[in-house]
Amino acid sequence: MAFSPVITGERVLAGQRKTTQKSQTVHRPGQKVTMEDLDKQIMKLAGGDMDALETLYERTKTAVYGFALSIVRHPQDAEDVMQDTYIRVVQGSGRYHSKGKPMAWILTIVRNLALDKLRTSPDAELPFEDEWVSDSKADFTEAALDRMVLRTVLKELTEEERQIVILRSIEGLKHREIAKLLAIPLGTALSKYHRSLSKLRTILEEEGK
Amino acid sequence: MKETNQMIENRLKRAVESSVPNVLPKLLKQIEKQEELKKMNNLDEKDKVISLETRKSRPALRWQRILAPVAAAIILLLGSWFAYAAYATQAVIAFDVNPSIELSVNRNEKVLQVDPRNEEGKSVIDDMNLKGVDLDVAVNALIGSMVRKGYISEVRNSILITVDSKSAVQGDRLQKRLSGEVSELLNGYALQGAVLSQTSRADRHFRELAETHGISPGKAALIERLIKQNPAIHFADAARLSINDINLLISSLKAAPEGVSLTGMASRKEYIGEEKAKSIAFEHAGVTEQDIRQLEIELDYDDGRMIYEVEFYIGQIEYDYEIDAKNGRILEFKSKDKENAGTPPAQTDQYIGRGRAEEIALNHAGLSRNQVRKLETEMERDRNRMTYEVEFEHENYKYEYEIDAESGRIIEVEIEKIRAGNGQSGASPSTQRTTQREGEHIGATRAEEIALNHAGLNRNQVRKLETEMEREQNRLYYEVEFEYGDKTYEYEIDAVTGAIVKVEIEMIKPKNSHPASSSPNQDLFIGHGEAERIALNHAGLTRSQVTGFEIEFKDKKSPPYYEVEFKYGGYEYEYEIHAASGKILEFEKEID
């Protein structure tokens, strides 16, 4: 039979068949609703309504700060980037053209500014320091454990890995969206994400012992 | 600490959430200050228009500061410095159109070196020897050659000049002078040239950027300045645009990026034009100018190409087109019902994207991108849902996939042997035998075996197996049809050779018999019957084997899903099936 690619019934149904142990959550609670809202805030901002900035800021600050931090790693630098980002958002709001992707727009700004910062900041070459996270191993409160995860991410992952993991955790971006934002192939984004998390798990298990 | 991925992600999120600084007060103050400044500056706005930058990039400044004393020391040490001046490079001037050429000149503006930076650059220089000639003469020769060879034309009239001079003052002067000279030269060729010019140090940063993206350091510097002004631009995307495209982009931004000066207008002749873009969109939507309102057309770029964005409303429905500015192809089409904004079926975010659709299809065919020919993907509207139609060829088969644009589910597969066009390669054995006798046929049973074997199924697994012999243009073949799971399979098998001529796999259309189909969203969901099939299929059971069968549609929690429950062999099965895609979200099998 001169038919090279073998297509089996099994594979046709692969989408449904490949399952799923108990309680695998496929769906991430969407930001869809807030996206439209963000669009609206940016439009208002373009019209000079500064109250919209406050709303926008509250909705996006965690993602903006987190993403900046994932690139520059130093809290002070991340804060600078954060501030510059919102300035740019205000300045650029007039030019903003809704494609239903306000978050991608904002995050692209964060990324460009953060990479710029990284290039020009005298601290950029310094090794990562725990300037702000308490490192007391005896502290087993939940908050301390949370901070330990963040510290591990900043300390142990590469620049690209940090961006992927943070975007995924904080903003719940889809891998496809992350890939587009970082201008890397989808496959790379996926494999780096999985590699990073298994790396983190290993390190955290070690530390937790 | 045993942590799952989800736990790690949650921890990370909480940690960042609790450490976000509050920059809002500072931010508001800064914006206020800027507003005031703007008001004051409005007075000398004129000066700002042609703001020739005297190098603002911080790294360069820093290096200058560090190197300045060193340079001074060197000058003192080498008393005979002036003797070297004739051989030392004072400035490098780069010309970018698509050909990219760098000229190094000494203090007296004699050309020391000519560096073509790409293949087109080489062809512009050809056998010209510009070494030792005056800069002006060399520029004249280069521009002349670019025009003659068609690199600069009415259609592409933009050129970028980047001056990298050791002396800032001389650099600025050179920039202004060359910009004027080149404009005049182009006028002499009866071309309305558009000249972009800038000064920039081709330092390591720009050299590296240029290397990575296969462009010149000058173009890299231009794009960085563009990004400074509009941070939403992607470097990699912009790098793929021509200087003319970038120039157009700049003109759509109203103001030139800092440090870049412009003369002339970028040509739009390479593009189909707004009128044409409009009529393409109208034709596609089946409307005329009278039917619509709030029309907006804008030249923009996406994924490294220039596009027209055409938007308009018909009633409450917003239409949104992205049309390739060069060839008029519709790249993307969205329509959105404003009234139903709560259930947005037409947001691009919800589509898996062309690339992903291709991946799904190729993956299914077991092929990679570079193995196939004529890969083509289009977005289409099929009744109420958007689908990607992915087509490609491999060896002598043509593949056609229809993929749900939202869920990525394969709706239809068609694999067909490419018919021998003009008797070239394809004089297959079957077509040569003009007299076919019954005894030579493989027989219906064998044909069924071939089809089932290809599908990886056996006779007992499938439903409605039917085989017929058909004739088409002197060719006899068996048509084998059967159903498995939620799909129908259709094979055409050459009656003589047993070769598979065509395969078609199609989703069985969900029957709209269900009473709940009054809701407009119902079409988006797979339906009870389909959910039942998926669950039973997964369990490897049939409806008659199981007891206590129950199915329920639940949309209280997002996403809506079907809950399917049944019992078999002392076990209770419970499924949650994604109502839109049919994906199994959760599966439990417990001892009853």
Side-chain angles (χ1 to χ4, degrees):
Chain A
M1 188 166 54
F3 204 73
S4 45
V6 180
I7 297 167
T8 65
E10 195 61 34
R11 295 206 17 212
V12 170
L13 295 170
Q16 288 111 36
R17 284 219 131 193
K18 216 200 265 163
T19 42
T20 15
Q21 297 301 305
K22 191 173 155 35
S23 77
Q24 179 192 356
T25 32
V26 181
H27 185 82
R28 293 179 159 263
Q31 274 88 19
K32 291 275 139 53
V33 187
T34 58
M35 284 302 137
E36 290 215 344
D37 205 46
L38 282 185
D39 261 353
K40 245 182 251 160
Q41 300 305 331
I42 297 172
M43 302 296 174
K44 276 195 204 162
L45 207 52
D49 177 356
M50 280 299 142
D51 289 346
L53 178 64
E54 207 167 327
T55 316
L56 190 77
Y57 173 85
E58 286 305 327
R59 299 263 162 88
T60 55
K61 62 179 183 185
T62 310
V64 167
Y65 178 71
F67 189 36
L69 188 63
S70 80
I71 296 172
V72 299
R73 295 203 291 175
H74 294 271
Q76 189 50 54
D77 286 348
E79 192 176 325
D80 291 349
V81 170
M82 186 180 181
Q83 177 145 353
D84 290 347
T85 297
Y86 287 106
I87 298 279
R88 297 288 192 167
V89 166
V90 173
Q91 291 170 344
S93 58
R95 278 194 305 274
Y96 173 73
H97 193 74
S98 169
K99 288 182 183 153
K101 294 173 186 164
M103 209 58 215
W105 181 65
I106 294 169
L107 290 175
T108 304
I109 295 175
V110 174
R111 185 157 188 266
N112 281 328
L113 291 174
L115 290 175
D116 207 37
K117 185 91 191 170
L118 207 56
R119 251 199 1 261
T120 53
S121 165
D123 301 340
E125 301 300 315
L126 297 177
F128 174 71
E129 275 175 81
D130 305 344
E131 302 169 36
W132 55 316
V133 248
S134 85
D135 192 16
S136 139
K137 286 215 169 164
D139 190 356
F140 280 115
T141 60
E142 284 300 301
L145 291 175
D146 295 346
R147 283 199 300 273
M148 184 158 118
V149 173
L150 175 58
R151 197 193 61 212
T152 311
V153 165
L154 295 178
K155 200 171 167 183
E156 305 286 349
L157 300 185
T158 67
E159 186 184 310
E160 204 165 67
E161 288 172 343
R162 295 196 300 268
Q163 294 182 51
I164 293 170
V165 170
I166 295 249
L167 285 173
R168 182 82 181 160
S169 314
I170 292 174
E171 192 49 28
L173 287 192
K174 298 188 188 86
H175 290 297
R176 173 166 53 78
E177 294 165 332
I178 293 174
K180 181 135 201 245
L181 192 64
L182 306 191
I184 54 174
L186 177 66
T188 312
L190 269 167
S191 63
K192 288 210 166 159
Y193 167 75
H194 287 296
R195 211 180 315 138
S196 309
L197 275 168
S198 75
K199 208 188 226 177
L200 283 176
R201 268 205 315 272
T202 318
I203 296 167
L204 292 172
E205 273 167 33
E206 281 298 309
E207 285 192 22
K209 262 175 202 165
Chain B
M1 188 159 53
K2 262 262 185 268
E3 304 259 341
T4 65
N5 287 357
Q6 192 58 53
M7 282 160 76
I8 290 177
E9 287 188 0
N10 289 343
R11 286 199 183 284
L12 197 50
K13 186 170 182 183
R14 281 197 302 265
V16 174
E17 266 167 1
S18 64
S19 61
V20 178
N22 183 12
V23 302
L24 191 60
K26 255 198 283 177
L27 194 58
L28 292 171
K29 236 182 254 165
Q30 197 180 337
I31 289 169
E32 219 171 279
K33 226 195 268 166
Q34 281 183 344
E35 288 294 311
E36 278 169 24
L37 267 176
K38 223 202 245 164
K39 271 179 210 153
M40 280 161 59
N41 278 353
N42 265 347
L43 299 170
D44 41 44
E45 189 68 34
K46 261 188 191 158
D47 297 353
K48 256 170 107 188
V49 177
I50 331 165
S51 69
L52 287 177
E53 187 203 46
T54 43
R55 245 178 279 127
K56 279 227 168 127
S57 98
R58 271 200 272 167
L61 257 182
R62 201 162 56 223
W63 278 113
Q64 268 189 331
R65 243 182 255 141
I66 295 166
L67 290 182
V70 180
I74 291 171
I75 291 166
L76 283 178
L77 281 173
L78 300 174
S80 55
W81 184 73
F82 279 97
Y84 283 89
Y87 304 103
T89 300
Q90 174 68 16
V92 178
I93 301 127
F95 298 87
D96 276 292
V97 176
N98 175 27
S100 177
I101 295 162
E102 282 181 1
L103 299 179
S104 309
V105 297
N106 67 7
R107 280 165 51 91
N108 303 325
E109 293 189 359
K110 296 261 188 226
V111 175
L112 296 174
Q113 210 182 323
V114 183
D115 253 334
R117 312 242 346 141
N118 57 12
E119 282 306 312
E120 291 90 339
K122 276 182 205 156
S123 98
V124 167
I125 291 168
D126 211 5
D127 55 359
M128 289 193 290
N129 185 3
L130 301 174
K131 261 191 202 172
V133 307
D134 280 335
L135 175 62
D136 295 349
V137 175
V139 169
N140 200 329
L142 285 184
I143 299 298
S145 176
M146 284 194 193
V147 173
R148 271 194 307 280
K149 302 208 157 144
Y151 290 116
I152 304 180
S153 64
E154 269 198 340
V155 171
R156 296 177 173 209
N157 65 343
S158 298
I159 181 168
L160 169 68
I161 302 171
T162 308
V163 177
D164 175 3
S165 171
K166 284 191 176 149
S167 139
V169 180
Q170 194 207 17
D172 285 347
R173 227 176 39 225
L174 256 180
Q175 178 197 358
K176 263 190 223 163
R177 202 185 81 215
L178 287 175
S179 161
E181 257 173 39
V182 171
S183 292
E184 251 169 58
L185 275 171
L186 291 175
N187 278 342
Y189 288 102
L191 289 170
Q192 298 288 319
V195 181
L196 293 158
S197 61
Q198 59 179 356
T199 61
S200 163
R201 307 263 23 197
D203 59 11
R204 215 178 102 213
H205 167 63
F206 289 126
R207 294 252 166 225
E208 274 171 10
L209 262 180
E211 195 73 29
T212 322
H213 295 277
I215 56 175
S216 69
K219 191 170 168 186
L222 177 68
I223 295 172
E224 270 220 357
R225 284 178 162 147
L226 193 57
I227 291 176
K228 275 237 166 73
Q229 196 196 15
N230 182 3
I233 289 171
H234 262 298
F235 193 99
D237 266 2
R240 280 154 61 195
L241 298 174
S242 73
I243 296 293
N244 200 54
D245 290 340
I246 293 177
N247 200 1
L248 276 173
L249 207 59
I250 290 173
S251 57
S252 77
L253 292 176
K254 312 265 182 320
E258 227 180 312
V260 180
S261 60
L262 308 172
T263 60
M265 291 278 287
S267 166
R268 286 174 189 251
K269 289 190 177 146
E270 209 178 352
Y271 306 122
I272 55 170
E274 294 189 350
E275 275 306 308
K276 179 78 181 150
K278 188 171 80 178
S279 68
I280 289 171
F282 283 0
E283 193 183 325
H284 183 267
V287 296
T288 64
E289 185 107 44
Q290 284 87 13
D291 302 330
I292 62 117
R293 59 197 168 78
Q294 290 182 30
L295 176 69
E296 265 182 54
I297 306 177
E298 208 175 273
L299 189 64
D300 200 349
Y301 80 105
D302 189 25
D303 281 345
R305 62 176 139 202
M306 301 300 284
I307 55 168
Y308 284 103
E309 272 193 20
V310 184
E311 277 179 36
F312 52 86
Y313 279 85
I314 303 173
Q316 279 306 307
I317 300 174
E318 181 187 338
Y319 287 76
D320 202 335
Y321 284 88
E322 279 187 9
I323 293 169
D324 191 311
K326 284 185 187 161
N327 61 24
R329 254 184 60 196
I330 296 175
L331 301 170
E332 202 176 302
F333 156 61
K334 283 186 279 182
S335 68
K336 184 156 74 177
D337 193 335
K338 276 282 168 187
E339 279 185 338
N340 292 340
T343 55
Q347 260 202 358
T348 22
D349 254 4
Q350 264 176 293
Y351 298 144
I352 55 170
R354 198 177 305 265
R356 177 72 190 129
E358 286 170 1
E359 254 168 56
I360 290 170
L362 288 166
N363 198 19
H364 180 266
L367 295 168
S368 69
R369 227 165 249 279
N370 44 23
Q371 280 179 295
V372 305
R373 303 181 304 267
K374 298 189 186 167
L375 179 62
E376 257 188 47
T377 306
E378 269 173 35
M379 203 172 201
E380 295 202 343
R381 174 170 288 264
D382 180 9
R383 283 180 305 146
N384 260 339
R385 71 173 145 200
M386 295 300 289
T387 62
Y388 289 101
E389 202 179 283
V390 185
E391 281 181 30
F392 51 87
E393 290 181 14
H394 175 67
E395 289 179 350
N396 47 350
Y397 285 92
K398 183 177 174 186
Y399 292 70
E400 222 181 286
Y401 282 87
E402 208 181 307
I403 291 167
D404 187 299
E406 283 181 27
S407 67
R409 193 166 60 144
I410 297 175
I411 299 165
E412 198 176 321
V413 189
E414 208 181 302
I415 307 166
E416 199 172 354
K417 200 163 186 176
I418 299 164
R419 298 273 151 86
N422 297 322
Q424 296 155 337
S425 61
S428 75
S430 63
T431 49
Q432 284 178 331
R433 286 181 212 194
T434 41
T435 51
Q436 291 178 332
R437 279 179 295 133
E438 200 60 33
E440 286 175 330
H441 300 149
I442 56 169
T445 320
R446 176 72 193 123
E448 285 167 5
E449 268 169 30
I450 289 169
L452 287 165
N453 193 27
H454 178 263
L457 297 166
N458 67 45
R459 233 165 248 283
N460 305 329
Q461 285 177 293
V462 305
R463 304 181 302 269
K464 299 187 186 166
L465 178 64
E466 266 178 44
T467 307
E468 273 174 31
M469 198 189 243
E470 307 244 343
R471 173 185 297 273
E472 188 184 296
Q473 295 171 350
N474 271 339
R475 198 173 56 90
L476 280 169
Y477 61 91
Y478 291 100
E479 195 178 282
V480 184
E481 280 180 31
F482 52 86
E483 288 183 15
Y484 175 75
D486 53 1
K487 303 205 162 58
T488 61
Y489 291 70
E490 207 182 300
Y491 282 85
E492 277 181 29
I493 290 167
D494 191 298
V496 180
T497 64
I500 297 176
V501 182
K502 184 172 171 181
V503 189
E504 212 179 303
I505 309 167
E506 202 172 340
M507 297 289 302
I508 298 167
K509 298 263 159 33
K511 298 195 176 54
N512 274 350
S513 57
H514 197 264
S517 63
S518 54
S519 142
N521 271 340
Q522 207 57 26
D523 256 0
L524 295 171
F525 299 141
I526 55 171
H528 282 212
E530 184 66 10
E532 175 186 333
R533 246 194 302 277
I534 290 168
L536 287 168
N537 219 340
H538 178 262
L541 299 167
T542 63
R543 182 72 169 80
S544 56
Q545 283 176 294
V546 305
T547 57
F549 191 93
E550 268 180 44
I551 185 161
E552 235 181 299
F553 175 74
K554 298 199 167 177
D555 64 352
K556 295 223 168 54
K557 126 185 154 184
S558 177
Y561 63 96
Y562 293 97
E563 190 178 278
V564 185
E565 285 174 21
F566 51 84
K567 291 174 185 177
Y568 175 77
Y571 286 94
E572 191 181 286
Y573 292 74
E574 200 183 310
Y575 286 89
E576 278 182 27
I577 293 167
H578 189 266
S581 71
K583 210 186 258 172
I584 296 176
L585 299 173
E586 203 166 301
F587 161 54
E588 273 176 56
K589 182 177 171 184
E590 277 175 9
I591 295 177
D592 192 12

